[in-house]
Amino acid sequence: MAKVVSTRATGDLVQQVLERPRALKKKTLPSDGSTTKLTLNVDTDVVDWFKASGTGWRARMQDALRNATELDKDA
């Protein structure tokens, strides 16, 4: 087993991460019960196509799925 060498810089970085304010840590989006979190395998080229369109690609993917199912969110 390789010997792990700890450096002061690494220790300082870990300490900074542990001490950063809660607001800066990853936020969980609040759920109003209208969404379901799931794991889905999607072809890489499809995901890449949506990502290439810039930020908000997940929302655009959601819109494409909604349009494909002919569901109207506002109804």
Side-chain angles (χ1 to χ4, degrees):
M1 189 162 145
K3 184 177 180 181
V4 177
V5 178
S6 178
T7 65
R8 169 85 185 195
T10 302
D12 290 344
L13 179 60
V14 170
Q15 193 63 35
Q16 288 173 10
V17 169
L18 292 175
E19 292 176 354
R20 69 184 169 172
R22 179 91 173 134
L24 297 178
K25 294 181 181 178
K26 185 176 179 182
K27 296 178 183 177
T28 303
L29 297 176
S31 176
D32 61 1
S34 66
T35 62
T36 301
K37 185 170 182 145
L38 65 105
T39 301
L40 176 69
N41 291 327
V42 179
D43 293 338
T44 303
D45 57 342
V46 173
V47 175
D48 290 344
W49 186 87
F50 279 98
K51 283 183 175 182
S53 65
T55 57
W57 65 270
R58 288 178 182 88
R60 284 188 292 282
M61 184 180 279
Q62 170 70 12
D63 290 342
L65 288 168
R66 182 163 289 286
N67 289 338
T69 60
E70 298 180 356
L71 292 173
D72 185 9
K73 186 172 183 160
D74 297 328

